[in-house]
Amino acid sequence: MSRGLPLSTRGLVHLYHSDGHDVAALSGVDLHVAAGELVGLLGPSGAGKSTLLNLLGGLLRPSAGRIFLGDVELSKVADRDVDRLRSRTISLMLQGAARNLLPYFGVRENVAYAQLVARASGATDLPEVAQVLETVGMLARADAPLGSLTPGQLQLAAVAAAVATEPAVLLADEPTSQLDHRARDAVLDTIARINRELGTTVLIVTHDPEVASRLPRTVTIRDGRIGGEGRSGEEYAVVTADGFLPLPGHVLDDLPPGTLVRLERDDEVYRVLPVDRRPGTAR
Ligand code: ADP
Ligand code: MG
């Protein structure tokens, strides 16, 4: 494959049906990731990060809303074609390295197997297996059984299998959780290098503030919606398609739901003034 593709969603909604009722995991996500971007997806547990990743990766189908991968509307593609895209164009790494690997194969065979599946659906110009292993720094451990690898090496093996087809998009669900600092840095550096050198579009879920601070852009999900944007560690809020401005958590502590605020414009600056706290206002 080639360079990265842009990835975007519009009004993405996902419901799970459990115990006879619906749980809204995502309730209107508008996200745009440019081709070749490296973006971190943050948010508290249960916010909908894995659901979003699984939808983008074609593992789940959305209840409503649209997903675009380059010019293709993924949310409209037939199941068989989604499988083809998943084998070549989009790679989804589920949380937990082992879930992405065939346990009775070594590292090399896992990479070769990912390529075999891609060739079966028509891929031709795939990189040499050795080159893939070199890219992730696992050439020396190519023939090691998975059981003999450290947790960090196992995650690198999962990265190798995920990028075996040089996908246009790499989606990784918490690839650095449960790793010590050195292994975490090795995995993050490897993913960042793949993004830089191959131009792969990367979306990586993390709850580690240190990982987040090293990513050029972060998007925070809260209660199934985009709740904030970060640039190199600085937090911003984004106006949603329907005109709402989600407040970051620490601001929400100061301005709880229901607070009446006034918006005042002062040249380029907007001030948000809680009505009963404006200077000079009688209490
Ligand atoms: P995160 O990855 O941010 O922790 P998830 O996407 O896993 O969040 O979950 C979002 C919400 O959807 C949570 O309320 C979770 O309980 C619910 N959920 C996730 N998977 C399922 C499922 N298979 N069935 C029912 N509810 C689910
Ligand atoms: Mg999750």
Side-chain angles (χ1 to χ4, degrees), residues 16 18 23 25 44-51:
Y16 290 106
S18 75
V23 178
S45 177
K49 305 178 298 294
S50 296
T51 302

Side-chain angles (χ1 to χ4, degrees), residues 71-201:
D71 295 336
V72 174
E73 184 170 352
L74 187 65
S75 41
K76 280 201 176 141
V77 168
D79 287 349
R80 189 166 44 90
D81 295 325
V82 171
D83 288 345
R84 190 177 47 79
L85 285 169
R86 290 188 59 211
S87 72
R88 295 160 62 175
T89 312
I90 324 169
S91 263
L92 172 62
M93 291 172 63
L94 300 171
Q95 187 175 0
R99 287 169 71 197
N100 303 287
L101 296 163
L102 293 164
Y104 303 111
F105 282 180
V107 184
R108 186 193 302 278
E109 285 93 352
N110 267 283
V111 172
Y113 182 75
Q115 295 193 338
L116 187 76
V117 174
R119 280 202 190 87
S121 68
T124 50
D125 53 349
L126 299 178
E128 294 290 322
V129 171
Q131 187 198 318
V132 176
L133 294 168
E134 173 86 66
T135 304
V136 305
M138 285 293 286
L139 197 51
R141 304 290 285 147
D143 297 305
L146 297 187
S148 71
L149 301 180
T150 64
Q153 289 170 338
L154 199 63
Q155 193 57 263
L156 289 173
V159 174
V163 301
T165 60
E166 295 189 343
V169 176
L170 175 64
L171 307 166
D173 200 349
E174 311 222 14
T176 63
S177 64
Q178 323 247 302
L179 298 181
D180 63 29
H181 288 191
R182 266 187 60 187
R184 177 194 71 190
D185 290 348
V187 169
L188 188 59
D189 289 347
T190 301
I191 291 176
R193 193 169 62 248
I194 289 162
N195 164 259
R196 209 169 47 239
E197 291 176 3
L198 298 176
T200 312
T201 306

